[in-house]
Amino acid sequence: MDYDYVVIGAGSAGCVVAARLLARTDARVLVIEAGAGRADAPTITNPSRWVENLGSEYDWQYSYEPSPHVAGRRIPLARGKVVGGSGSINATAWVRGNRHDFDGWAAMGNEGWEYDSVLPLFKRSEDWEDGETDHHGAGGPIPVERVKDLHPAASALIDSGISLGLPYLDDYNVPEPFGVGPLSLNVRDGMRKSPWDGYLGPLQDNPRLTLRSGARARLLTFAGTRCTGVEYEWQGQIHTATASSEVILCAGAIDSPRLLLNSGIGPADELSALGIHVLADLPVGRNLQDHPLLGGFCFETEELPPVSGNLSGSSLFWRSRPEFVVPDIMLVSMQVPYLTAELAQEYPPPAHGIALLPGLMRPQSRGYVRLRAVDGPLEIQSNFLAAQADVEALLAAVELCTELAVEPAYRKLIRSWVAPARRMSRDEAVSFIRTACSSYFHPVGTCAMGTVVDSRLEVHGIDGLRVADASVMPTITSANTHAPTIMIAEAAADFLS
Ligand SMILES: Cc1cc2nc3c(=O)[nH]c(=O)nc-3n(C[C@H](O)[C@H](O)[C@H](O)COP(=O)(O)OP(=O)(O)OC[C@H]3O[C@@H](n4cnc5c(N)ncnc54)[C@H](O)[C@@H]3O)c2cc1C
């Protein structure tokens, strides 16, 4: 079948790219999505139920390989497998990061990605509840609203942060967020509004769109170094589709590199060892970055009101060292007693409880994605906490949690400490951090701008092929990664049309 554009992956970025192509051009667009073609299950639409999708049919169910830095544990890595991708199963927190993130991308040589240039793209994507402002947009496809009617677990973090001296942060999507306040979510009327809902879903009857769901792209096809299309598996058969203009890879930070590697674009030594013909020797799969999230500081409480919003409701941006310009710790409140499986064995979770989850936003550790075999399983290694600086930053975050938990607002709520059971020594805290380390589910960087794609997201040395998803971030943003991924896809749409 012949198309003008083939978009691989109808996830967060793919929905944006395909929708903008349909709206701005008269192109015929094929979208190939491995997961389900509907995103209307209550576990998807109700933001309070997002955790129920972990390990379900809507999750690729990847994991990071064990490493001594995380006490030899395998760490689950959820990825959305449904239209809307991870944007259909995520925790709906809508956060851009810090202006220095994007200025940093530009300073690395990626022209056009500084904050002032990408701000209009962020604004274009959103429908902010307060209407248009200098740094917010109105009327865009993604509704963004602050959490209202805060759950006691969310209020306790805000009140404790303020009594510790932090400023109140009414809107964390300002250029340089610092302080404590409510989350902003991509919800409306209490329902998730994913990139599928906001961008591509409304266009699904467009006659120029062919959406193949349940279809897994296996290989890219080439004429010399020009990408001509894709080979994919659908309904038990192998199909090929050609793109007269371009193929846009939007399969996310794990599967975009997987497709490139299988297609001969990657580190020559790795590919040759697997017998894959090398088309372009590029560091695909290297530079994996993710935010380590400690799960968690857990406390027993009285029975609290039912969970609401996205199970959190508030967050705190903080610097682990006063000289840092950009906050490197983002801590979220949890309305449930969340603990990693390994911590839960040591500290049985209480029937009623809450948690504090500190995440490291500017990690120095770098991981990788590699093929174990041609079109076979992957080796995904985050290398969480391999850099000592990351451990030091989280030690400071543990100290902050300890300080917060003894502020009056938490004292009123907490019946007893569960994990940890008391203040810890440095050695105990290091061991706690290694056992509490989980993923914020924010892998990025595996097809990085600069080394794998150029600043217009075209793969170096290859024609007709772009990557547009979280994998192109050269460095991870200093907050959750969804809004920046949508911004990247908006940029790709501008390059294409
Ligand atoms: C559980 C969870 C919670 C999160 N919480 C938040 C949050 O609250 N806030 C936030 O900002 N970020 C959050 N994130 C991260 C955020 O959702 C992601 O950074 C973002 O959605 C990534 O978008 P993407 O387009 O790069 O990839 P994805 O959205 O994952 O899209 C990739 C798509 O490609 C498809 N695909 C993959 N391989 C193939 C193939 N071979 N053939 C065809 N299709 C394929 C996948 O099925 C998927 O639909 C969370 C993520 C998860 C998983």
Side-chain angles (χ1 to χ4, degrees):
M1 295 293 289
D2 299 334
Y3 300 89
D4 297 305
Y5 293 94
V6 173
V7 177
I8 301 177
S12 297
C15 283
V16 179
V17 170
R20 294 296 190 202
L21 276 173
L22 289 165
R24 292 180 185 172
T25 70
D26 57 6
R28 292 158 307 148
V29 180
L30 170 66
V31 179
I32 297 178
E33 167 55 46
R38 298 173 62 134
D40 52 2
T43 55
I44 290 177
T45 56
N46 179 346
S48 300
R49 296 184 62 183
W50 67 271
V51 285
E52 294 173 49
N53 296 310
L54 308 184
S56 75
E57 63 184 299
Y58 304 122
D59 176 8
W60 285 84
Q61 303 180 35
Y62 290 122
S63 60
Y64 289 129
E65 295 296 316
S67 107
H69 309 295
V70 292
R73 298 156 45 242
R74 179 173 289 280
I75 294 180
L77 175 63
R79 300 282 82 208
K81 192 176 183 185
V82 54
V83 285
S86 300
S88 284
I89 67 162
N90 73 11
T92 69
W94 188 259
V95 207
R96 293 176 185 170
N98 192 290
R99 68 172 301 140
H100 291 280
D101 296 328
F102 311 102
D103 290 344
W105 295 2
M108 293 167 85
N110 301 302
E111 209 180 310
W113 290 88
E114 55 282 334
Y115 179 75
D116 290 343
S117 298
V118 301
L119 179 60
L121 305 174
F122 278 119
K123 288 175 72 170
R124 186 207 285 170
S125 69
E126 65 180 29
D127 187 18
W128 172 236
E129 61 174 345
D130 291 355
E132 176 131 24
T133 68
D134 281 352
H135 51 261
H136 274 298
I142 304 287
V144 183
E145 346 182 304
R146 298 174 191 84
V147 174
K148 315 284 186 318
D149 304 322
L150 290 171
H151 188 271
S155 309
L157 175 62
I158 296 177
D159 295 343
S160 299
I162 289 170
S163 60
L164 260 187
L166 281 157
Y168 179 67
L169 186 61
D170 164 62
D171 170 16
Y172 59 19
N173 284 313
V174 292
E176 298 187 50
F178 179 76
V180 63
L183 301 182
S184 290
L185 307 180
N186 51 283
V187 298
R188 179 112 328 150
D189 301 324
M191 305 276 279
R192 176 195 299 275
K193 292 291 171 221
S194 73
W196 169 253
D197 302 318
Y199 283 88
L200 194 55
L203 301 179
Q204 60 185 309
D205 294 330
N206 187 311
R208 289 182 288 108
L209 170 68
T210 304
L211 172 66
R212 289 265 179 277
S213 57
R216 187 179 71 92
R218 297 175 66 221
L219 280 178
L220 303 170
T221 55
F222 294 90
T225 54
R226 177 168 187 87
C227 183
T228 53
V230 62
E231 187 182 291
Y232 65 98
E233 203 179 321
W234 184 53
Q235 299 183 333
Q237 289 190 328
I238 302 297
H239 302 256
T240 53
T242 59
S244 58
S245 291
E246 275 197 33
V247 172
I248 305 110
L249 194 45
C250 303
I254 304 303
D255 282 285
S256 284
R258 183 207 283 248
L259 261 158
L260 291 177
L261 293 167
N262 272 311
S263 308
I265 301 174
D269 53 345
E270 267 175 51
L271 299 184
S272 302
L274 293 170
I276 298 174
H277 171 70
V278 181
L279 210 58
D281 179 11
L282 296 172
V284 172
R286 306 274 166 83
N287 189 50
L288 187 150
Q289 299 169 47
D290 191 355
H291 294 134
L293 179 75
L294 299 191
F297 254 68
C298 177
F299 309 99
E300 186 184 15
T301 59
E302 304 287 342
E303 187 169 354
L304 296 174
V307 294
S308 62
N310 71 341
L311 296 182
S312 170
S314 58
S315 71
L316 183 153
F317 286 80
W318 183 74
R319 302 182 185 97
S320 67
R321 294 166 69 143
E323 68 271 25
F324 285 168
V325 174
V326 179
D328 61 332
I329 300 294
M330 181 186 174
L331 198 153
V332 289
S333 59
M334 273 306 258
Q335 303 164 16
V336 290
Y338 174 73
L339 289 170
T340 58
E342 297 81 0
L343 272 188
Q345 278 181 0
E346 201 176 333
Y347 307 98
H352 305 295
I354 58 170
L356 267 177
L357 310 187
L360 177 60
M361 295 296 109
R362 297 173 71 79
Q364 293 189 12
S365 306
R366 299 287 182 263
Y368 59 83
V369 181
R370 273 188 212 142
L371 293 180
R372 285 191 193 278
V374 181
D375 205 21
L378 297 172
E379 179 184 344
I380 315 173
Q381 176 55 268
S382 64
N383 275 325
F384 277 153
L385 310 181
Q388 183 58 26
D390 294 354
V391 178
E392 296 298 332
L394 285 168
L395 278 167
V398 162
E399 193 53 36
L400 173 68
C401 291
T402 310
E403 298 290 317
L404 286 165
V406 296
E407 287 298 309
Y410 271 120
R411 271 185 192 272
K412 254 192 263 164
L413 204 59
I414 294 172
R415 235 155 85 171
S416 66
W417 288 33
V418 175
R422 53 179 169 73
R423 269 183 191 271
M424 296 178 284
S425 68
R426 182 185 159 95
D427 284 354
E428 288 169 337
V430 170
S431 157
F432 181 86
I433 287 169
R434 298 204 190 282
T435 314
C437 182
S438 60
S439 167
Y440 228 127
F441 303 133
H442 296 160
V444 306
T446 47
C447 303
M449 228 190 294
T451 55
V452 174
V453 298
D454 64 19
S455 58
R456 292 176 63 82
L457 309 181
E458 292 171 300
V459 177
H460 288 306
I462 303 286
D463 295 319
L465 179 62
R466 245 177 259 259
V467 185
D469 57 27
S471 70
V472 305
M473 295 187 199
T475 54
I476 195 163
T477 49
S478 307
N480 312 51
T481 47
H482 196 212
T485 303
I486 299 295
M487 177 278 284
I488 288 167
E490 286 279 9
D494 283 355
F495 300 144
L496 289 163
S497 55

